[in-house]
Amino acid sequence: MLFALAFALFFAVLPVDAVSETGSKVGLYFLAAVLGPVTVLVLRFLADRLRLDRRRFVVIAGAGAATFDGLFIGLWPDVYGHEGTALANVAALILFGLAAILVSDHLVSVNSLPRRKGNHT
């Protein structure tokens, strides 16, 4: 959920033009696609430190972030600093980012980071 809060704050400081104009939106989608595998590696690192299953941890973290974003976009949209079409664009970017994380989790080998001794997941 900390990732979701970080991204909410990131979107809150972006000007409306950044999430409304096609060129900057393409850049944000590209950024989300690039950050998908990076996020997976960070989450797998955390899973190892907590001695949890890597794939399950990524899915649960993604579900938690989606739950946070869904609740806040629905109940307290001011957190994202946008309204109307700009808020809809932010929501679409968040969903795309979640998809990038989940797809990356399945494409990046589960053994991409060395495991801690005793972690067999």
Side-chain angles (χ1 to χ4, degrees):
M1 295 245 244
L2 290 175
F3 282 115
L5 180 59
F7 283 111
L9 296 174
F10 169 76
F11 284 116
V13 299
L14 286 178
V16 173
D17 293 345
V19 294
S20 298
E21 293 181 6
T22 302
S24 55
K25 278 195 300 188
V26 168
L28 289 171
Y29 277 101
F30 177 78
L31 182 62
V34 169
L35 289 177
V38 173
T39 302
V40 168
L41 293 175
V42 169
L43 290 173
R44 287 181 182 179
F45 176 82
L46 291 173
D48 285 349
R49 297 306 164 261
L50 297 170
R51 298 179 185 252
L52 300 171
D53 180 84
R54 288 175 167 182
R55 290 250 160 106
R56 182 174 292 152
F57 187 75
V58 171
V59 170
I60 290 171
T67 301
F68 173 92
D69 288 322
L71 286 171
F72 274 76
I73 286 173
L75 299 174
W76 193 19
D78 293 342
V79 169
Y80 297 87
H82 301 286
E83 54 187 35
T85 303
L87 183 60
N89 290 337
V90 166
L93 282 160
I94 290 169
L95 288 174
F96 180 82
L98 175 61
I101 291 167
L102 295 176
V103 168
S104 296
D105 186 43
H106 287 283
L107 294 179
V108 175
S109 170
V110 77
N111 296 316
S112 60
L113 289 173
R115 297 180 192 278
R116 288 178 58 149
K117 187 175 181 180
N119 187 355
H120 302 290
T121 57

